[in-house]
Amino acid sequence: MPTVRRLLVVGTAAAFLGLVVLETAGALGRGDRGPDPARAGDAQWNLDLIGVREAWAVTRGDDVVVAVIDSGVDTRHPDLRDRVVGSIDCVGAEGDPDRCRAGGDTDPDGHGTHVAGIATATAENGTGVAGVAPEADLVSVRALVTEPCRRRPCGATGQGADVAAGVRWAVGAGAQVVNLSVGVGADIGGSELTEAIDEAWTAGVVVVVAAGNGDDRTDLGDMPVLVVSAVTATETVAPYSEGAGGARWALSAPGGEARAAGGDGCRERDGIFSTLPVPAGESEAYGCLTGTSMAAPHVAGAAALLVATGLSAAETVERLLTTARDLGTDGPDDLYSRRLLDVARAIGP
């Protein structure tokens, strides 16, 4: 049975998906209710760039189920534990959702936890950050594994067939939005993942995929997925982002600007600040990463907001595309993947 080549998430700006750990923080603030400390300044510039605050006056994604298919999610995290409604481990499932098993509630790598926070972190709970859809439900599907390293994310990898099993399991579990911040490569015709994505769309599920970085961009052709490239805080194309001009549906969203590992990107608005796995003995953890992996969950969260208003999957995709802000040259272009996500315009008054 055809399978996709290994899916890569690595820790250098030049490599596939170009994810860089820019800053890690411990406790930012505690309390049962109250403002999110990261939003008090401009650490979450990404939410302001796409108009999330205005959209929240209409919806925060109540009861919409978002599945993050990744390296797992630290479900103990204080910004995620109230969002999580299910978790599963599909590593080794080879396309068959019935072979998925209990798990997915830990994240040895860190990538999945960061992605989940961008999409769904709880807002106004007195700690950390807020997600684009802070009242959506979260399902964690582990389909990637990681090798030991000194600083996470380490670079999770996996098989396309396992990701396909995760997509199928998520759809069966009631997910209405699926986020794939993984690189799926160019040659996937007839693969399990192609079939699983088609099945998800037929079932009325919005699937969001990261465009990929460097020389290995995602190429899904005419597949029914929203392919997301990345822009910086100044609305310029991120240096690592290859765009997704060949996709049927494409958008840009905040991904940050890649810098050397250890750089102080959060304070310089270069990275996307979100949740990270909580170390032993700590109560919370946050940090900055950059990449199209970070851009994709902005769109997944926006899709959840629209689905919460009663729109179908097709209506959601159309609204996201028609309300996005044009960047670069007039009309569609390869670098900006048509336009920049504008959540405020998509939701409307």
Side-chain angles (χ1 to χ4, degrees), residues 45-46 49-50 211 213 228-243 251-258 269-272 289-296 298 325-328 333-341:
W45 58 268
N46 48 311
L49 189 70
I50 59 176
N213 303 342
V228 187
S229 55
V231 298
T232 68
T234 57
E235 299 185 2
T236 58
V237 63
Y240 51 81
S241 183
E242 289 294 308
L251 284 172
S252 294
E257 183 171 357
R269 294 161 58 91
D270 283 337
I272 305 299
L289 300 179
T290 66
T292 58
S293 277
M294 283 59 255
H298 289 85
R325 291 192 287 119
D326 203 4
L327 298 176
D333 62 79
D334 187 52
L335 283 179
Y336 288 98
S337 298
R338 297 172 62 97
R339 294 180 174 182
L340 174 63
L341 173 68

Side-chain angles (χ1 to χ4, degrees), residues 38-265:
R39 291 175 60 215
D42 64 354
Q44 286 203 279
W45 58 268
N46 48 311
L47 299 188
D48 294 331
L49 189 70
I50 59 176
V52 166
R53 295 174 191 268
E54 294 86 347
W56 285 352
V58 177
T59 177
R60 295 190 175 198
D62 312 46
D63 299 325
V64 175
V65 180
V66 178
V68 171
I69 301 177
D70 214 291
S71 59
V73 171
D74 183 354
T75 59
R76 305 166 302 152
H77 198 291
D79 256 335
L80 297 174
R81 61 191 176 208
D82 292 337
R83 308 270 57 83
V84 178
V85 296
S87 61
I88 199 75
D89 189 336
C90 294
V91 174
E94 297 182 352
D96 183 357
D98 291 336
R99 294 181 60 185
C100 298
R101 58 201 179 278
D105 54 354
T106 60
D107 182 9
D109 184 76
H111 186 263
T113 300
H114 198 272
V115 167
I118 295 168
T120 66
T122 302
E124 297 167 0
N125 61 343
T127 187
V129 299
V132 175
E135 293 182 10
D137 294 331
L138 171 65
V139 171
S140 168
V141 180
R142 182 172 180 257
L144 306 180
V145 296
T146 189
E147 298 295 331
C149 69
R150 290 183 297 177
R151 190 173 187 182
R152 296 183 294 182
C154 305
T157 64
Q159 297 295 323
D162 293 346
V163 176
V167 172
R168 290 175 171 138
W169 188 92
V171 172
Q176 293 141 291
V177 180
V178 168
N179 187 88
L180 296 173
S181 285
V182 295
V184 298
D187 185 15
I188 63 168
S191 73
E192 287 278 5
L193 184 53
T194 301
E195 295 170 6
I197 289 172
D198 279 331
E199 293 163 12
W201 179 249
T202 299
V205 178
V206 178
V207 181
V208 180
V209 180
N213 303 342
D215 295 328
D216 296 303
R217 82 179 187 185
T218 295
D219 184 2
L220 293 175
D222 200 41
M223 290 293 296
V225 294
L226 279 163
V227 181
V228 187
S229 55
V231 298
T232 68
T234 57
E235 299 185 2
T236 58
V237 63
Y240 51 81
S241 183
E242 289 294 308
R248 182 196 298 190
W249 305 319
L251 284 172
S252 294
E257 183 171 357
R259 300 190 60 195
D264 199 3

Side-chain angles (χ1 to χ4, degrees), residues 1 22 30 63 157 183 304:
M1 182 175 295
L22 297 178
R30 295 181 174 84
D63 299 325
T157 64

